[in-house]
Amino acid sequence: MSIALVQPALILVLVILEVAVWQVRVALATRGRKQSAAVLGAVNAVISVVALGQVVTNLDRPANIAGYAIGVAVGVYLGVIADGRFAGDPVEYRVVLPGEDARPAERLRARGWPVTMQPALGVGGPVTVLFVVVDASRTAAVERDLDLLAPDGFRTSTRLNSATWAPLPPGYVVMDAGVSLLRAARASSADPAPAQG
């Protein structure tokens, strides 16, 4: 096999790895995990020097530059996915709904979500603010339910550094000792149960 074919593929693989490691390193550093971030920083530097060295010493090969560019794009994508999958941080959803309507909160509770509801005054008058804190592994499921049951709401989500989990009545999404969420089935719910994810 020709070096002209192998080198771009090698650069691609190295850069995917380098950028994904960088993404995870930054995520760990923002969560205060300094030692892990430092170790990944060293690994990141070695991979970066090797990959960039291959590109710079052979600038006359456009395939090397393309391999580098594609590697960056794929590495960012994989790094973001890895951060989302491995992050165990709880996520808080805040939903602002027009008017004073408790029905979205009741529907979400019927599906097992621990919703806190608060009346507030928005720019256009009265609003209802819903708060839901879930484990990171349940974000897709709660987002589907928020799309379905509170489609008119202005929604934000924030990754929390920590959350203290309080006991909830049976049937609600609760934090397990192993930092995973379980949902007990609620037979009285008129809506289908949220998808397990």
Side-chain angles (χ1 to χ4, degrees), residues 31-154:
R31 291 182 183 91
R33 296 172 67 185
K34 298 172 192 161
Q35 292 173 337
S36 299
V39 169
L40 287 179
V43 170
N44 192 95
V46 171
I47 297 170
S48 183
V49 167
V50 171
L52 203 51
Q54 294 294 313
V55 174
V56 172
T57 58
N58 297 291
L59 283 174
D60 59 331
R61 296 184 184 155
N64 288 358
I65 297 168
Y68 189 88
I70 294 168
V72 169
V74 173
V76 168
Y77 181 76
L78 293 177
V80 169
I81 289 174
D83 177 43
R85 299 243 178 186
F86 298 122
D89 302 331
V91 178
E92 177 189 48
Y93 288 88
R94 204 174 292 189
V95 183
V96 180
L97 297 163
E100 298 173 345
D101 188 1
R103 286 177 297 181
E106 292 165 358
R107 290 179 186 135
L108 287 163
R109 286 183 189 129
R111 294 177 73 111
W113 300 113
V115 178
T116 300
M117 184 180 77
Q118 182 176 17
L121 186 59
V123 176
V127 296
T128 302
V129 182
L130 307 179
F131 300 90
V132 183
V133 177
V134 298
D135 187 74
S137 66
R138 301 294 293 162
T139 57
V142 77
E143 286 175 7
R144 278 192 303 269
D145 283 350
L146 289 171
D147 287 342
L148 179 68
L149 301 173
D152 298 334
F154 169 74

